[in-house]
């Protein structure tokens, strides 16, 4: 069921349209990431869901009820900001109990709930310490515990992990996802990190210029991007201009046999580097020259010139020991791995 519905939401700040007619449904219990480059409107959208900004137009509904005019503190949601906004003069226990206190909970109930929440975020027994005695990752968990103290219907997080170093961030991604799955709480996270979005969410909403480019599962968005923007933003993509030709699609480097182009004129296709096949010899439909190779640990990345196009291929290590910069090879772009973009998106 769609617990949260956004219907044609627009937000303008003077001449700037931060969010431009966004409609989307978030099913109960799902983990959704709002993903996109800086300035695309992610935070503004999250703040409108939270009640911290008013939409210029459009409706926000929670379980069918329009909540545009419901103040933030009555929306039954928990929120974690990038800054965490923990109170340094309060103990950890007091920080976590704060939202319960302002709702009038008594001391014993608060203490019991704080213990429960600290267990849940795997920090048992630290309620009497101060915030300054915690590491970055521990503070993150305290902020999460505080946001979940009132058992919210919606859990909203704005770049919650961006201040952490890479290793800790990955560990926290797993923890956050496990916690969300355990609690079954509808969660919306703003991030500009596509790996983070892909690895945590049930659904990702890829945004650009205040609009939704695509809402889909991570694998769907990766495999079948709805636009060149999505293809390029999620991981690496070879974006190549092609035209319909006899037996396939033609590009500057040769032919992609079997790829049907349902349009006349030039269109863009996208093919992921791991789908590009590099073979020794020059017998294939596309000849290419290697211009750069780098070892990436679990893969090797091969940059090739094919006609006037630059193509990147990823291959397993050791699979291509004989390839060097300057070697001429043959390339295959499997038609089933190519996404064709028409005037209005992917086909
Ligand atoms: P980032 O990843 O950098 O935080 P974002 O995708 O979250 O970016 P928003 O913060 O939502 O983007 O901003 C979207 C646009 O709206 C930007 O052009 C921004 O400058 C503008 N904007 C946001 N808040 C305000 C405001 N209070 N007043 C004026 N313009 C604003």
């Amino acid at each position: 069921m769609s617990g949260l519905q956004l219907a044609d939401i627009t937000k303008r700040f003077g001449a700037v349209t931060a969010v431009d007619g966004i409609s989307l449904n978030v099913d109960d219990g799902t983990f959704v990431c709002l993903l996109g480059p800086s300035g695309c409107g992610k935070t503004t959208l999250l703040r409108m869901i939270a009640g911290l900004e008013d939409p210029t137009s459009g409706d926000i509904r929670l379980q069918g009820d329009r909540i545009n005019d419901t103040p933030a503190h009555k929306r039954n949601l928990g929120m974690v900001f990038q800054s965490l906004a923990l109170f340094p003069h309060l103990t950890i226990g007091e920080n976590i109990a704060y939202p319960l206190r302002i709702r009038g909970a008594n001391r014993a109930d608060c203490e019991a709930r704080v213990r429960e929440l600290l267990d849940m975020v795997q920090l048992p027994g630290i309620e009497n310490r101060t915030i300054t005695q915690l590491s970055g990752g521990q503070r993150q968990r305290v902020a999460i515990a505080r946001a979940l103290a009132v058992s919210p219907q919606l859990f909203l997080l704005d770049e919650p992990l961006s201040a952490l170093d890479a290793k800790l961030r990955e560990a926290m991604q797993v923890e956050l996802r496990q916690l969300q799955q355990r609690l079954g709480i509808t969660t919306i996270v703003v991030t500009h990190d596509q790996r983070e979005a892909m690895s945590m969410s049930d659904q990702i909403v890829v945004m650009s210029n205040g609009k939704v480019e695509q809402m889909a599962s991570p694998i769907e968005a990766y495999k079948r991007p709805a636009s060149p923007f999505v293809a390029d933003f999620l991981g690496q993509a070879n974006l190549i201009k092609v035209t319909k030709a006899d037996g396939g699609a033609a590009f500057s480097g040769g032919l992609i046999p079997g790829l049907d182009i349902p349009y006349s004129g030039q269109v863009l296709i996208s093919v992921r580097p791991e789908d590009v096949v590099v073979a020794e010899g020059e017998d294939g439909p596309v000849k290419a020259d290697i211009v750069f190779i780098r070892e990436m640990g679990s893969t090797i990345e091969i940059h090739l010139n094919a006609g006037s196009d630059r193509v990147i291929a990823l291959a397993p290590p050791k699979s291509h020991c004989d390839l060097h910069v300057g070697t001429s090879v043959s390339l295959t772009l499997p038609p089933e791995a190519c996404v064709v973009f028409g005037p209005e998106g992917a086909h």
Side-chain angles (χ1 to χ4, degrees):
M1 168 183 179
S2 275
L4 175 70
Q5 290 179 303
L6 305 182
D8 206 9
I9 298 288
T10 291
K11 177 68 184 182
R12 290 195 194 92
F13 296 104
V16 176
T17 303
V19 171
D20 192 1
I22 286 186
S23 296
L24 54 89
N25 294 339
V26 176
D27 288 344
D28 281 337
T30 52
F31 193 121
V32 175
C33 276
L34 305 180
L35 175 69
S38 183
C40 72
K42 310 177 292 288
T43 294
T44 304
L45 190 61
L46 193 80
R47 287 174 59 82
M48 287 191 282
I49 296 167
L52 302 173
E53 295 285 0
D54 291 325
T56 308
S57 61
D59 286 339
I60 305 174
R61 292 195 195 85
L62 197 54
Q63 308 301 342
D65 297 327
R66 187 175 178 277
I67 58 164
N68 288 46
D69 305 319
T70 309
H73 66 277
K74 296 214 167 130
R75 288 192 187 190
N76 192 19
L77 45 85
M79 189 148 182
V80 176
F81 299 93
Q82 185 180 344
S83 63
L84 302 186
L86 294 168
F87 304 120
H89 58 286
L90 300 182
T91 65
I92 287 156
E94 287 164 346
N95 262 282
I96 295 173
Y98 185 79
L100 302 168
R101 280 275 194 219
I102 57 175
R103 281 171 172 76
N106 68 37
R107 182 172 291 274
D109 286 348
C110 285
E111 283 174 1
R113 180 73 178 138
V114 166
R115 277 196 297 276
E116 191 177 69
L117 288 157
L118 282 174
D119 281 347
M120 191 174 80
V121 296
Q122 295 171 41
L123 290 174
I126 64 158
E127 47 269 61
N128 295 320
R129 284 209 232 158
T130 61
I131 296 297
T132 51
Q133 292 172 308
L134 298 183
S135 70
Q138 289 170 328
R139 287 179 200 195
Q140 202 76 41
R141 288 187 224 173
V142 170
I144 289 169
R146 185 179 64 179
L148 294 175
V150 294
S151 302
Q153 248 181 313
L154 263 185
F155 188 26
L156 307 177
L157 303 100
D158 190 357
E159 300 272 5
L161 309 179
S162 59
L164 306 178
D165 67 56
K167 219 133 185 85
L168 187 54
R169 195 162 66 222
E170 295 215 350
M172 283 301 297
Q173 287 165 5
V174 173
E175 263 187 47
L176 189 55
R177 178 58 164 157
Q178 285 178 327
L179 181 65
Q180 184 271 340
Q181 284 176 327
R182 225 170 40 241
L183 300 176
I185 185 170
T186 311
T187 300
I188 304 177
V189 175
V190 163
T191 180
H192 61 264
D193 178 342
Q194 50 99 10
R195 269 174 58 90
E196 184 162 294
M198 302 258 320
S199 64
M200 287 199 295
S201 4
D202 295 305
Q203 296 272 299
I204 51 178
V205 178
V206 183
M207 293 175 61
S208 152
N209 291 326
K211 290 190 158 72
V212 172
E213 290 271 330
Q214 185 169 16
M215 179 170 182
S217 69
I219 194 70
E220 168 83 11
Y222 186 77
K223 295 268 183 208
R224 309 305 301 171
S227 64
F229 176 86
V230 176
D232 200 37
F233 197 75
L234 292 180
Q236 275 183 307
N238 292 297
L239 292 171
I240 300 169
K241 285 183 188 150
V242 303
T243 48
K244 191 172 178 61
D246 272 354
F251 76 111
S252 74
L255 188 71
I256 306 171
L259 180 61
D260 182 39
I261 305 296
Y263 306 101
S264 59
Q266 214 169 40
V267 295
L268 265 184
I269 65 160
S270 159
V271 57
R272 297 290 181 195
E274 63 271 26
D275 293 323
V276 175
V277 182
V278 179
E280 287 172 46
E282 298 177 47
D283 306 335
V286 176
K287 281 200 267 308
D289 296 321
I290 298 178
V291 291
F292 182 70
I293 294 185
R294 60 175 174 170
E295 302 276 346
M296 308 283 286
S298 56
T299 51
I300 48 174
E301 192 182 273
I302 307 168
H303 295 226
L304 307 111
N305 279 344
S308 59
D309 281 289
R310 174 65 64 91
V311 177
I312 298 176
L314 282 181
K318 299 202 177 95
S319 60
H320 287 304
C321 303
D322 297 336
L323 300 184
H324 307 283
V325 169
T327 311
S328 291
V329 293
S330 130
L331 279 191
T332 306
L333 307 179
E336 66 281 3
C338 295
V339 176
V340 180
F341 301 110
E344 289 169 16
H347 287 261

